Amino acid sequence: MLYNIFCEIDNLNIQIKIKNKKLSLIYEEGTLPLDLRQQIKQYKQQIKKRLEENEMARAKGFLIYRYGELYEYRYGLGAYLFIERMGELAIAWRGNYMPGEEQPYKVKTLVERVPFEKAFKEAGNFIDWLQRQKRGVKGA
């Protein structure tokens, strides 16, 4: 449902942000249909939560696709970390790809069928571990 709301907001060129802990919509007069306004009101807390999660993910270095349905973090040549939402739950996994290939040759699942917060935490722990390795602090 959230994907559809975000998609319609985007298609109507409406900006949606959190301002002073409240949802803020920026749009031209007459471009916000009544049914969309009602959906935004009905799912206000979930929309706000998704926007906050997307900001946390951006701050960690993730690219965000499909309005927060998929998150991607590239940490090497052909090496990616993903968080995917699957309904109410999420999966965090790593994939290694050969140049020009669409399918990964190696996949490692960090967690699956967990709340987004847990998947994000596990993915964040992996990113933190990578950064410690780059600094040469092994096992910390």
Side-chain angles (χ1 to χ4, degrees), residues 18-134:
I18 298 175
K19 191 174 184 178
N20 299 325
K21 298 188 180 188
K22 294 184 179 183
L23 278 183
S24 173
L25 297 171
I26 302 168
Y27 58 94
E28 289 184 29
E29 189 68 33
T31 59
L32 181 60
L34 181 59
D35 64 327
L36 179 58
R37 182 188 306 261
Q38 290 170 339
Q39 288 177 8
I40 291 170
K41 189 174 182 179
Q42 180 181 354
Y43 293 98
K44 181 177 165 180
Q45 292 307 315
Q46 293 95 323
I47 291 169
K48 193 172 148 189
K49 183 177 180 201
R50 175 69 59 90
L51 292 171
E52 290 168 346
E53 290 167 348
N54 289 351
E55 279 308 308
M56 285 185 344
R58 269 189 206 92
K60 200 70 170 166
F62 281 93
L63 296 175
I64 299 161
Y65 300 102
R66 296 179 47 92
Y67 315 107
E69 295 291 314
L70 175 68
Y71 302 81
E72 171 193 298
Y73 181 89
R74 183 176 179 180
Y75 60 93
L77 182 62
Y80 296 88
L81 170 64
F82 298 100
I83 303 172
E84 283 184 82
R85 292 181 193 269
M86 305 174 112
E88 296 295 314
L89 300 176
I91 180 172
W93 61 281
R94 300 186 333 235
N96 296 87
Y97 296 80
M98 293 298 291
E101 295 293 320
E102 291 184 18
Q103 296 297 318
Y105 67 86
K106 182 178 176 184
V107 173
K108 169 73 172 143
T109 301
L110 303 178
V111 291
E112 63 182 315
R113 292 190 292 275
V114 297
F116 176 82
E117 295 79 13
K118 173 114 174 102
F120 184 77
K121 184 178 187 312
E122 291 298 320
N125 288 344
F126 177 73
I127 292 169
D128 294 344
W129 177 83
L130 281 174
Q131 291 171 345
R132 286 193 303 271
Q133 297 304 306
K134 287 181 182 178

Side-chain angles (χ1 to χ4, degrees), residues 1-11 36 39 50 66-67 69:
M1 176 49 87
L2 286 183
Y3 172 77
N4 293 335
I5 293 171
F6 280 113
C7 191
E8 190 170 351
I9 286 170
D10 193 38
N11 287 338
L36 179 58
Q39 288 177 8
R50 175 69 59 90
R66 296 179 47 92
Y67 315 107
E69 295 291 314

